[in-house]
Amino acid sequence: MPLIQLDAITKHYTVGTTLQPVLPPLSLTVNHGEYVTIIGASGSGKSTLMHILGFLDQADSGTYRFNDVIIPWANSDQLANIRNRSIGFVFQAFHLLPRLSVLDNVALPLRYQGIHHSLAKERATFALEQTLMTAFVGRYPQQLSGGQQQRVAIARALVTEPALILADEPTGALDSQTSDEILLVFDALHQVGKTLMVVTHNPHVALRSRRIIQLTAGCIVDDRLNT
């Protein structure tokens, strides 16, 4: 069953007095439970596509149906609600708050939703179990390695039980061994049915997914299963 259906999505940016196309009409379907990588060189449009997928940016035209709901671009409050409840984000920079413990960093999205502290703590602990970080619940970000911080960031993305995990260059700040450890976490999440979309320029990262979509100048030039 489709989770994501893009139909003739376009995006332009204004450069001076001219419109610069970033995404020409682009159509894409991603099913529940897929593990997809979007790969492309710098300027290929992959980050713009990710921002549209995560409701961080608005398409100029076309239709985006998410979980069988047509995305209401004009309603910012509804967009924010869908994003906060349905999308978990993982970025190259970990974006952990230094004054909060590991547990409190992971629980933070739930606190923003008004969930009671005890339930938020319980769900945050479960998310940390999924990324093998329960031994570090009382530590602070500066006491962790880069790989450990990214595991915490992944747990934070999981804590709201989102329909989709979007990861933008999640291994870009890590060495190769630590990157492989993070990719093992993604493998495990895929095996339990999570839907993952990873944006990267790194072929090694792309080869760990089950489906690889290559972008060039905003166009899908290859879309293949990785067997």
Side-chain angles (χ1 to χ4, degrees), residues 124-153:
T125 301
F126 177 68
L128 286 163
E129 287 175 3
Q130 293 177 279
T131 61
L132 305 179
M133 286 297 292
T134 51
F136 301 87
V137 293
R139 296 195 186 181
Y140 290 82
Q142 62 270 25
Q143 297 174 309
L144 305 177
S145 68
Q148 290 168 339
Q149 290 187 63
Q150 191 62 295
R151 286 174 181 265
V152 174

Side-chain angles (χ1 to χ4, degrees), residues 99-131:
R99 295 186 180 182
L100 294 184
S101 69
V102 162
L103 185 64
D104 288 338
N105 263 287
V106 174
L108 194 60
L110 300 178
R111 302 303 301 274
Y112 285 148
Q113 292 180 8
I115 293 175
H116 190 272
H117 175 73
S118 59
L119 179 56
K121 180 178 178 180
E122 179 182 327
R123 287 175 58 178
T125 301
F126 177 68
L128 286 163
E129 287 175 3
Q130 293 177 279
T131 61

Side-chain angles (χ1 to χ4, degrees), residues 9 12 32 59 73 81-82 84 89 95 100 113-114 120 130 133 149 156 180 201 204 211-212 214 216 225:
I9 289 289
H12 300 76
H32 284 274
W73 295 117
N81 183 59
I82 297 171
N84 293 339
F89 293 96
H95 298 304
L100 294 184
Q113 292 180 8
Q130 293 177 279
M133 286 297 292
Q149 290 187 63
R156 183 183 55 196
D180 285 340
H201 70 280
H204 175 71
R211 179 181 172 192
I212 302 172
Q214 184 173 352
T216 299
L225 296 178

Side-chain angles (χ1 to χ4, degrees), residues 66-115:
F66 182 86
N67 224 359
D68 211 28
V69 173
I70 295 177
I71 296 305
W73 295 117
N75 191 325
S76 58
D77 289 340
Q78 191 173 352
L79 276 178
N81 183 59
I82 297 171
R83 180 174 59 245
N84 293 339
R85 295 183 180 276
S86 300
I87 309 286
F89 293 96
V90 180
F91 298 101
Q92 179 175 333
F94 316 123
H95 298 304
L96 301 178
L97 298 182
R99 295 186 180 182
L100 294 184
S101 69
V102 162
L103 185 64
D104 288 338
N105 263 287
V106 174
L108 194 60
L110 300 178
R111 302 303 301 274
Y112 285 148
Q113 292 180 8
I115 293 175

Side-chain angles (χ1 to χ4, degrees), residues 1-225:
M1 178 179 176
L3 173 63
I4 291 168
Q5 293 174 282
L6 302 181
D7 184 15
I9 289 289
T10 68
K11 183 66 181 179
H12 300 76
Y13 291 116
T14 302
V15 180
T17 58
T18 63
L19 287 177
Q20 179 69 40
V22 180
L23 296 178
L26 182 149
S27 298
L28 173 66
T29 298
V30 175
N31 292 319
H32 284 274
E34 281 200 90
Y35 180 2
V36 180
T37 296
I38 300 171
I39 188 168
S42 178
S44 63
K46 60 185 187 298
S47 291
T48 298
L49 177 58
M50 194 207 78
H51 290 162
I52 290 173
L53 288 169
F55 321 128
L56 297 172
D57 200 356
Q58 179 174 337
D60 293 332
S61 63
T63 302
Y64 181 5
R65 188 183 293 271
F66 182 86
N67 224 359
D68 211 28
V69 173
I70 295 177
I71 296 305
W73 295 117
N75 191 325
S76 58
D77 289 340
Q78 191 173 352
L79 276 178
N81 183 59
I82 297 171
R83 180 174 59 245
N84 293 339
R85 295 183 180 276
S86 300
I87 309 286
F89 293 96
V90 180
F91 298 101
Q92 179 175 333
F94 316 123
H95 298 304
L96 301 178
L97 298 182
R99 295 186 180 182
L100 294 184
S101 69
V102 162
L103 185 64
D104 288 338
N105 263 287
V106 174
L108 194 60
L110 300 178
R111 302 303 301 274
Y112 285 148
Q113 292 180 8
I115 293 175
H116 190 272
H117 175 73
S118 59
L119 179 56
K121 180 178 178 180
E122 179 182 327
R123 287 175 58 178
T125 301
F126 177 68
L128 286 163
E129 287 175 3
Q130 293 177 279
T131 61
L132 305 179
M133 286 297 292
T134 51
F136 301 87
V137 293
R139 296 195 186 181
Y140 290 82
Q142 62 270 25
Q143 297 174 309
L144 305 177
S145 68
Q148 290 168 339
Q149 290 187 63
Q150 191 62 295
R151 286 174 181 265
V152 174
I154 295 169
R156 183 183 55 196
L158 290 168
V159 76
T160 59
E161 300 177 354
L164 173 66
I165 300 292
L166 276 178
D168 189 5
E169 299 286 5
T171 64
L174 306 174
D175 60 51
S176 59
Q177 179 178 341
T178 307
S179 296
D180 285 340
E181 293 171 0
I182 294 301
L183 294 174
L184 284 172
V185 175
F186 287 152
D187 289 343
L189 294 175
H190 171 63
Q191 289 169 9
V192 297
K194 300 295 183 183
T195 308
L196 302 166
M197 293 192 74
V198 177
V199 172
T200 186
H201 70 280
N202 188 334
H204 175 71
V205 173
L207 287 172
R208 296 294 292 268
S209 69
R210 306 304 179 264
R211 179 181 172 192
I212 302 172
I213 296 171
Q214 184 173 352
L215 284 188
T216 299
C219 297
I220 296 176
V221 296
D222 193 18
D223 184 349
R224 66 187 187 275
L225 296 178

